Amino acid sequence: MGRLRLGAPLSIADAAGCASRHGFEIWSKLTKLKVLDLSGNMLNDSIITSLVALSTIRSLFLNYTALSSAVTIQQLSTMKLETLDLSDNAINGTISTGICNMEILQELHLNDNMLFGELPSCIGNLTSLRVLDLSNNLLRVKLPSPSFAKFTSLVKLSLSNNHLEGVLFLSSLSNNRQLTHLELASSGNDFQLQTENPATDMSAQLQVLVLRNCNLNGNSAVIPRFLLHQHSLDLIDMSNNNLGGYFPSWLIENNVNLSYLILRGNSFSGPLFPPPKVHINLQWLDASCNKLSKLTMEINVSLPNLQYLNLSDNSFQGVFPSSFNNMVSRVGVDLSSNNFLDDIGAAFKMIGIANLILSRNNFYGSLPQELPPHFSHLVLNDNKITGKIPESICFNIFLTVLDFSNNNLIGSLPTCIYALPLLVILNLKGNSLVGSIPSEICHLNRLIFLDVSRNNLSGPIPCLPNVQYLHLSENQFNGTFPLSLGTDIYTIDLQGNQFSGILPRLMFKAFPKLQIMLLERNMFEGMIPNDICHLKCLRLLDLSHNKLSGKLPSCLSNIGSDDESFNFQYSDRNITSIFLMFPVSSYQDLLAQYTKFISQPDQEEFMTKSRKDYYKGNMLNYMSGLDFSSNQLKGSIPESIGDMKWLRALNFSANYFDGSIPQSLSNLSDLESLDLSHNNLAGQIPSELAALRSLEVFSVAYNNLSGPTPGIKGQFITFDQSSYEGNPYLCGPPLLSCSEAPSVPELEENKEDDKVDDIILFGCSAMFYMVGFWTSMGVLYFKTSWRWSWFSVVDRFSDCVMAKLAIYTRKIRGAN
């Protein structure tokens, strides 16, 4: 049988752009070619037409080739294939009914795509199927299905991470004697797997069993009894099924080849019993998110080859278990979110642990001065650790994740930090560190996440060329806005520092991918540059409590206009995954769960609904807002702000905005918080605002508004008088009725006009008087004859006045 494998790096130019008679067409002469493997190349969908012409092909591997069109499946269905692998692509669409024509197909791999919709009912025509892998898609699979009953030759059935529906009795698969891989994991809550009623008598000896989030036996806490008769299992995953009772160590005892046991997210309680015999094959044990309270086994003795142990989110307490002493693990140990109370030094007696996670416990004391040099991930956040960060941390040259956040560490950041060339995540927030950020940090070219917020650090910010998530809030950093950042930055959080100066125009063009910028409580001043409108990916902007002045840019609505770019699914290719060191590539579906070691979700604090909340991970996809409050901004609120339909929070309070409230605000259908209080806004509240069905917080207090409120329409029925106070001429619910409210006085505009007229009149009069007076004086000075005539007139007039005054005075005296 002929086999041709053209693995990477066969380029698009080589494969997708073949000229006539110089590409795949010429392969048609290979009349004995049976297997064609193009996996790992960058192909496009136009190549499929050429492949279909290769009539002798029986096995076609197109996995990891960047194909995206669902038409691909329809086109390939005309080939007489026995194996078709289209896994790990980006195929988007429904599965074509044409696939039902591939009656000799034995293996179908469509996993890890973006397929959706229902399975074709005719898929049961593929009676020769031995492998059906549809895992990690968006398919809606209704069970039981008559189609699956026809697959009597199945060796592997994987429906993991799709939306499974209905009730499946596992006994319906009892006759599949060749079945070795059964993987069922629902992405929703509409699926139930029954193994006990009726009881399952599985004739096949399984090797891989995944029953994750299957509502096993109606969440009755019963472990499937058919497992008592299974002895060949290599992997068991029954996570998130509310299984209860004592930890089932018998699963380890029964299956001598068991390598992976995952029972996270259940309700197992009591001690973690060891198997009665030493088990040399178990490498991966995850019993996290249960209620286990005591560790009775000597890990290093009972499970000598264990590589990864996850007992996080249980009820372990007291001192660090001595059973962990001298434990040797190549991958990692996760004991986070328990109640261990011990000196942190006790945790460093384990040997060779590459990844150690002890977060959210009660460890105390100082870190050992001589830390082991083999860490890749060291995560000790949310404990009570004191003292300084030891310089020996810099000997961990393979360190990629360092998280000491929310402890009581003191001292400065080690200047030797430049010696950690692989460092990707550095999180030291919530300590009492002092000094400045060492300039040597500029040499950490892989650093993408830096959080030193809530410390006592000061000084300027050094260059951070590749950081994508920057958190420096609640410190004493000073200087101007840091511009020595990379162009790929997504988050800048400088809240609560002493930065000053103007907002440089350059910054808004320098960071085209910026999605979150928080500058609250600094000393920035000047106007908001029009260049801010270039931030089309920005969705959280907080400039509150600064000294900004002037008008808002008229182009403000351009901010956040790029919907496609806003996605806070945190990931990074530079992070060295622990799984690259662990030979489990056959279980990619399983490994997708374990991202705790290799990702650090971004977390932001933002004021909305009159309180500060934290938003992190995927929640950032749903949070958006502008906060310009407590500045010295003036002018009118742009009508175009109604085009920012992504807004959920808008705060313009405590400024000098005037004019009317824009009617266009009613277009912000997702708006949850609107604060326009403490300004100089006038006119009426637009009645159209009643259309804001999501509004939970509303305030226009202390303005110059008048007329009726929106009353009790929509969400406005929930707002009390405090939302309107300080506007004496507003009326209607929840205030006085408009018939009882004080009448609105003459328009302030007219009063202002009268004042202006008076000032003009007075000014003109004064000007004419001065001109007349000095003109007369000038004439009299230069004209002598006019001056003598003027003095003569004045003398005669004054003599007359004095004579009449003397006569009048004498008459008064005579009368007395």
Side-chain angles (χ1 to χ4, degrees), residues 6 10 13-29 50:
L6 295 177
L10 182 67
D14 297 326
C18 295
S20 178
R21 301 198 54 79
H22 294 282
F24 292 122
E25 294 88 346
I26 203 171
W27 293 0
S28 60
K29 296 180 179 180
S50 300

Side-chain angles (χ1 to χ4, degrees), residues 260-539:
Y260 311 96
L261 179 59
I262 301 96
L263 298 173
R264 69 191 313 269
N266 287 291
S267 297
F268 294 118
S269 58
L272 181 63
F273 291 111
K277 298 180 181 179
V278 174
H279 196 288
I280 63 173
N281 289 316
L282 193 66
Q283 300 178 59
W284 191 288
L285 175 58
D286 186 346
S288 60
C289 302
N290 280 281
K291 300 175 182 178
L292 301 171
S293 58
K294 188 176 181 181
L295 189 65
T296 60
M297 69 168 77
E298 292 287 337
I299 298 291
N300 218 30
V301 175
S302 301
L303 306 172
N305 294 314
L306 193 66
Q307 297 291 300
Y308 172 70
L309 176 64
N310 189 345
L311 298 178
S312 63
D313 289 282
N314 276 283
S315 300
F316 295 110
Q317 55 187 343
V319 298
F320 192 76
S322 59
S323 58
F324 283 99
N325 289 352
N326 301 317
M327 175 183 172
V328 179
S329 170
R330 188 157 61 92
V331 177
V333 173
D334 187 348
L335 301 176
S336 60
S337 298
N338 282 286
N339 292 305
F340 289 116
L341 178 63
D342 203 347
D343 191 290
I344 188 61
F348 287 91
K349 296 180 180 179
M350 294 182 285
I351 302 173
I353 304 295
N355 303 280
L356 180 61
I357 302 182
L358 300 176
S359 55
R360 294 181 296 280
N361 279 283
N362 293 300
F363 289 106
Y364 57 85
S366 301
L367 292 166
Q369 287 302 305
E370 298 298 327
L371 287 173
H374 43 64
F375 287 115
S376 174
H377 298 69
L378 183 56
V379 182
L380 306 178
N381 59 286
D382 293 274
N383 282 284
K384 300 175 182 178
I385 302 171
T386 57
K388 297 181 178 181
I389 300 175
E391 295 279 337
S392 58
I393 193 70
C394 300
F395 296 122
N396 286 268
I397 60 173
F398 298 108
L399 194 65
T400 59
V401 176
L402 178 62
D403 189 345
F404 290 167
S405 61
N406 299 321
N407 280 285
N408 298 311
L409 297 172
I410 59 174
S412 58
L413 277 67
T415 56
C416 65
I417 199 169
Y418 69 91
L420 303 175
L422 302 180
L423 193 63
V424 175
I425 294 174
L426 177 60
N427 191 345
L428 301 174
K429 73 174 181 182
N431 285 285
S432 298
L433 300 173
V434 296
S436 59
I437 299 178
S439 59
E440 289 82 0
I441 203 170
C442 294
H443 302 296
L444 299 180
N445 292 325
R446 297 196 179 190
L447 186 67
I448 67 167
F449 185 100
L450 175 62
D451 191 344
V452 293
S453 56
R454 290 192 284 117
N455 280 281
N456 295 314
L457 298 170
S458 58
I461 307 304
C463 62
L464 299 166
N466 296 308
V467 168
Q468 297 177 13
Y469 303 89
L470 178 62
H471 299 266
L472 306 177
S473 63
E474 308 300 335
N475 280 283
Q476 300 173 33
F477 292 117
N478 53 35
T480 57
F481 186 93
L483 289 173
S484 55
L485 306 175
T487 57
D488 290 333
I489 196 162
Y490 294 101
T491 298
I492 298 177
D493 183 357
L494 307 180
Q495 299 178 90
N497 281 285
Q498 299 174 17
F499 292 106
S500 58
I502 63 172
L503 297 178
R505 296 175 60 183
L506 177 63
M507 64 178 282
F508 301 112
K509 294 182 180 179
F511 311 130
K513 299 180 181 179
L514 192 62
Q515 297 177 350
I516 294 177
M517 183 164 66
L518 308 176
L519 307 181
E520 178 201 5
R521 286 178 291 113
N522 280 282
M523 294 181 287
F524 291 112
E525 58 189 2
M527 299 181 65
I528 300 174
N530 285 332
D531 298 71
I532 197 173
C533 303
H534 292 291
L535 298 178
K536 295 186 177 182
C537 301
L538 195 68
R539 288 297 178 92

Side-chain angles (χ1 to χ4, degrees), residues 706 728-729 742-751:
S706 59
Y729 303 113
S743 59
V744 182
E746 291 185 13
L747 291 177
E748 296 293 327
E749 295 179 7
N750 293 340
K751 288 187 174 182

Side-chain angles (χ1 to χ4, degrees), residues 233-255:
L233 284 162
D234 178 58
L235 181 148
I236 302 174
D237 182 358
M238 293 190 293
S239 302
N240 303 324
N241 283 298
N242 197 37
L243 301 175
Y246 288 121
F247 183 81
S249 298
W250 55 268
L251 286 173
I252 304 175
E253 179 185 2
N254 277 12
N255 296 276

